[in-house]
Amino acid sequence: MQLQLSTWPEIEAYLAKSKAILIPIGSTEQHGPNGLLGTDALCPEIIARRAGDESGILVAPTFNVGQAQHHMSFPGTITLRPSTMIASMVDWAQSLVRHGFERLYWFNGHGGNIATINAAFSEIYHGVTFDKSRAERSNHAPLRCCLRNWWELPGVGDLTHQLFPVGEGSHATPSEVSITQFGYPEAVKSVAMTPRIAPNGPILDADDYRRRFPDGRIGSDPSQANIAAGEKIVAAAVKAVISEFRQFSAS
Ligand code: NI
């Protein structure tokens, strides 16, 4: 069930039986020569929408621009300042809480977002703590936020390691590119890459990043990406996220 494809009476009916919503969150940033700029937002979105179709979980619009400062030397990347992202997440959360949502499951596709998402949770909880009118409505359970990175779902890491024992790397990985290839087969790119496995190194500023990692990849060989692998990863992730979301909803 997608919020954007629902009407308000449908959301009102959903709220009568569940106070939990899943919010895909990612980034719009370069993902090497064959990875789509939307990869980090598309991966959680592709998994979430399938989970929503299978199980009736309500899926919010994707928060699809995040922390991508270090990718800004590559065209197409869009970034938020941490303060802007925190402020936006607080506004999303307050809007949902206003309607009665109490469990916000943020389903993340970008490692660079993690610190800012956790800071935003502190800001969201601060608002709940100091909102007197809300505290007076004592029939409301406390708001809870949860952060889950798709690649850390139970069973998914083992599967990606098995599919890509060499060249998974840490940015523009064959696993994430496979997921987008499965979701958008019409957008599959075939690109030769040299060296086959990209270098590793520290992430500093944007210009330094492009000098160290000229085609954008870190430690990865995403030329291994394929639709069949993406289908397997998505299937495992959908199963795990449905189970975890149900537990979180009931917590
Ligand atoms: Ni990524």
Side-chain angles (χ1 to χ4, degrees), residues 27 29-31 36-41 43 71 109-112 150-151 170-173 176-177:
S27 181
E29 62 181 47
Q30 71 80 19
H31 265 76
L36 308 179
L37 280 146
T39 299
D40 283 355
C43 287
H71 294 294
H110 177 45
W150 68 259
W151 61 90
S170 59
H171 183 69
T173 68
E176 60 184 344
V177 174

Side-chain angles (χ1 to χ4, degrees), residues 38-242:
T39 299
D40 283 355
L42 293 171
C43 287
E45 183 178 276
I46 289 164
I47 296 163
R49 289 185 177 174
R50 276 168 176 76
D53 290 346
E54 267 186 39
S55 69
I57 289 174
L58 180 60
V59 178
T62 302
F63 193 107
N64 61 10
V65 175
Q67 297 303 297
Q69 284 85 1
H70 52 286
H71 294 294
M72 284 306 294
S73 292
F74 296 88
T77 300
I78 304 174
T79 192
L80 297 175
R81 280 171 283 177
S83 55
T84 311
M85 182 162 170
I86 291 167
S88 302
M89 286 180 64
V90 169
D91 287 354
W92 282 46
Q94 286 183 344
S95 302
L96 293 166
V97 167
R98 173 69 177 74
H99 305 309
F101 287 99
E102 294 171 348
R103 296 289 179 274
L104 311 183
Y105 184 100
W106 299 80
F107 188 42
N108 181 42
H110 177 45
N113 281 347
I114 294 170
T116 306
I117 290 174
N118 281 314
F121 286 0
S122 295
E123 193 73 34
I124 290 165
Y125 290 143
H126 179 94
V128 170
T129 303
F130 290 96
D131 176 356
K132 280 196 182 134
S133 64
R134 181 180 163 75
E136 279 158 15
R137 283 188 275 128
S138 55
N139 58 334
H140 277 256
L143 173 69
R144 272 197 210 165
C145 289
C146 154
L147 164 62
R148 175 54 93 182
N149 303 311
W150 68 259
W151 61 90
E152 288 175 348
L153 283 166
V156 170
D158 289 345
L159 175 61
T160 58
H161 186 71
Q162 185 192 320
L163 289 166
F164 304 112
V166 176
E168 172 70 355
S170 59
H171 183 69
T173 68
S175 295
E176 60 184 344
V177 174
S178 294
I179 293 175
T180 62
Q181 290 187 348
F182 169 64
Y184 294 90
E186 69 277 19
V188 172
K189 324 283 178 184
S190 177
V191 185
M193 293 178 215
T194 322
R196 194 172 72 78
I197 296 182
N200 280 296
I203 296 176
L204 303 172
D205 63 84
D207 290 339
D208 180 79
Y209 186 111
R210 186 149 180 174
R211 275 193 299 274
R212 285 177 197 272
F213 314 110
D215 69 4
R217 300 174 290 149
I218 303 180
S220 65
D221 172 19
S223 68
Q224 302 175 89
N226 63 88
I227 292 172
E231 185 170 14
K232 285 182 191 155
I233 298 167
V234 169
V238 165
K239 191 170 163 234
V241 82
I242 290 172

